[in-house]
Every structure is written in structure tokens, then in C-alpha cells.
Amino acid sequence: MKRFLIAIFMFALLVGCTNTEGEETVEVKDTSVQGVPYNDTEYGFTLNYPEKFQIGEKTSYVMDNATTASIDWSTNLNDEGVFGMGDEDIWVTLSIQENVENSSLEELTSQRLHPGKQEDIMVDGHPAFRFKGNLADAGDSHNGFGILSYFESDGQFYTLTCVTKTESTLTEHEAACQSMVESFEFTSN
């Protein structure tokens, strides 16, 4: 009998702790970068990206006599491999460009960022610049809001860009974008 009363008490406690109809629940999106490693042996780096991000194919092209490679991630990749860009989606690209003119990081970013709009950061022990905000203020060709991180190593210029259509979506994914930058490690230095 004593076990029966304990079971009833536990059931009543469990029912009393559940969400009742009509109450609003708050959804918290996981923005941590816990575990999908990306290792690029060609360019000598690794980083982690969120499990909810889908990775696209690495592409390469030549622009201004410099080879550029690009790797893309998104929260919205369709069956044809094309990234969608709805109000709640984020698109992340890592561009790696040969620094054929041997420009300094400051010279390269001054062409892309307005002075005073960036902050100094470090990426795997390398000096870097970070911009966050309306991409029109960064002189970027994308529309929307973003976090841009620029860094250089061994003649390669790296740009990690997180782009969204809305400022609130950028805020929602900011921790994930920052974690991607923080997890970036050069493997061939």
C-alpha cells in the first residue's frame, strides 16, 4: 500500500510540473559549435561548425590574378545544393585568397571596411579584424547584416563571413559564428 501511495504522489507531482495548455513555451535555439569538424588539408586549417549548418561544395575561381577558394555553410540548403536565404536563415562563407600583392592585413581590410568600424581580434594567434552590423556600412556587396572576420597567414588572406537578412537573426546566430572563428586553427604553420 505504501508503494501505491508513493506512485500516486509521484504521478501527481509529474502532472503538476508539466506545461498546461495555453501557456507559451520559449524555444531556445542551439547555437553552440559542439562538434562537426571541418578539416581542409589543401589550405591547412580546421574549424568546427554547428550541427544544424549544412556544408556546400568548395569552389575555386581566379579574380584579379589571385586564386580564391570558398567554402559555404547554411541553415537552408535545398536539394539542388543551392542556399536559400529566408528571414531566419544564415549563410556562412570562408574565402581564402592568395595575397599576390603581399599587402598587409590593414591594407587589405581598408579596401573593404570603413575605418573605425572594426575591432581587433585574434584568430589562432594571428592578428585579425572583425566587423559586425549592417553590411552596407562595411562596404560589402551583400545586403543584410553580418559578422565579417579578416585574417592573414602565409600569403593567404582569409575572410569568414556570416550573413543574414535581419539583425535579429544575426543576434540569434552570433555565438555560433563567433565559435567558428574561435575554433579556427591552422594545421600547416
Side-chain angles (χ1 to χ4, degrees):
M1 180 71 173
K2 188 175 185 181
R3 286 186 190 180
F4 178 72
L5 290 174
I6 291 173
I8 290 176
F9 174 75
M10 295 299 287
F11 178 74
L13 183 63
L14 180 64
V15 170
C17 290
T18 60
N19 188 14
T20 59
E21 224 176 291
E23 288 185 14
E24 185 177 326
T25 56
V26 177
E27 180 183 347
V28 177
K29 293 192 179 184
D30 179 18
T31 57
S32 62
V33 178
Q34 296 177 4
V36 182
Y38 177 82
N39 182 19
D40 192 305
T41 55
E42 180 180 0
Y43 289 97
F45 71 89
T46 63
L47 61 77
N48 294 332
Y49 64 93
E51 291 178 7
K52 293 181 181 182
F53 285 20
Q54 299 162 313
I55 190 167
E57 292 184 30
K58 181 167 49 173
T59 58
S60 294
Y61 54 92
V62 176
M63 181 173 75
D64 299 329
N65 296 323
T67 301
T68 300
S70 180
I71 304 113
D72 296 312
W73 294 266
S74 179
T75 53
N76 185 3
L77 181 67
N78 68 23
D79 292 338
E80 288 80 41
V82 177
F83 293 111
M85 198 62 173
D87 285 348
E88 296 184 12
D89 295 319
I90 187 162
W91 170 60
V92 179
T93 187
L94 175 65
S95 298
I96 306 151
Q97 183 177 15
E98 291 179 277
N99 188 355
V100 294
E101 297 179 15
N102 293 318
S103 301
S104 70
L105 181 63
E106 291 82 5
E107 291 170 326
L108 290 168
T109 55
S110 70
Q111 300 167 12
R112 299 178 183 202
L113 296 175
H114 295 292
K117 298 249 182 198
Q118 74 270 355
E119 63 179 305
D120 295 334
I121 62 170
M122 297 294 282
V123 175
D124 194 27
H126 292 73
F129 294 112
R130 178 179 185 256
F131 171 87
K132 176 188 168 197
N134 187 329
L135 294 179
D137 292 342
D140 195 273
S141 60
H142 296 292
N143 292 321
F145 296 85
I147 300 171
L148 312 171
S149 300
Y150 297 94
F151 48 104
E152 189 266 337
S153 177
D154 294 330
Q156 304 288 335
F157 183 57
Y158 297 79
T159 308
L160 184 70
T161 307
C162 299
V163 179
T164 67
K165 286 176 108 177
T166 66
E167 191 169 16
S168 62
T169 302
L170 180 63
T171 299
E172 181 180 312
H173 292 286
E174 182 174 2
C177 293
Q178 186 60 31
S179 291
M180 288 180 76
V181 172
E182 290 171 0
S183 72
F184 189 99
E185 293 181 4
F186 292 102
T187 57
S188 63
N189 282 352

